[in-house]
Amino acid sequence: FSLTQFKKSSCTHGWNHDAYASSHDCYNFVEAVMEAFRRNTGKFDIFDAPKEATLHKYPEIWGDPTKFEWVASAFVSIGVEVLIRQDDKVGKLILSVYSIAYSEWIHQHVAC
């Protein structure tokens, strides 16, 4: 998974691609979460794996509301862009749903 494919998204939902360099940990955080979604091994809570993959590796993002808002916007943008492209591969559609749901989870459980 690479965020570079979404840099020219038509639907950004507030995701400012230029806020951080593509080598910044915010980009790495999003890529780590998406990879955790792809490798989900049937855990009951689909958000456990992404949290485990990022909590200790990127504590500065988990503790920074501004960076976390950027991350949440990225997930919505990615999810919507996959739907707009009408990619009919089931795996990509599932990632789309996970992305949008994770953005909402961030707002409900972390940003509070």
Side-chain angles (χ1 to χ4, degrees):
F1 181 84
S2 174
L3 285 180
T4 56
Q5 63 186 311
F6 297 99
K7 281 270 213 176
K8 295 181 181 177
S9 298
S10 59
C11 199
T12 63
H13 290 272
W15 182 28
N16 179 359
H17 301 121
D18 300 325
Y20 302 104
S22 60
S23 61
H24 191 276
D25 278 348
C26 283
Y27 278 94
N28 297 332
F29 181 98
V30 172
E31 289 179 355
V33 168
M34 296 304 286
E35 183 60 28
F37 284 151
R38 286 186 340 119
R39 287 183 285 122
N40 186 5
T41 57
K43 289 188 175 188
F44 179 72
D45 185 347
I46 62 165
F47 302 130
D48 281 346
K51 186 175 181 182
E52 290 171 13
T54 57
L55 188 59
H56 299 291
K57 190 170 183 178
Y58 303 106
E60 73 284 354
I61 294 173
W62 280 95
D64 186 327
T66 302
K67 290 177 182 171
F68 231 62
E69 184 59 37
W70 185 93
V71 165
S73 294
F75 286 121
V76 171
S77 181
I78 291 165
V80 170
E81 186 66 23
V82 170
L83 293 175
I84 288 172
R85 291 179 186 176
Q86 297 180 348
D87 192 329
D88 60 353
K89 294 180 182 171
V90 173
K92 288 203 175 184
L93 292 176
I94 290 171
L95 283 178
S96 172
V97 170
Y98 282 0
S99 297
I100 294 168
Y102 197 64
S103 174
E104 189 59 32
W105 181 86
I106 287 170
H107 285 115
Q108 289 182 8
H109 295 89
V110 179
C112 296

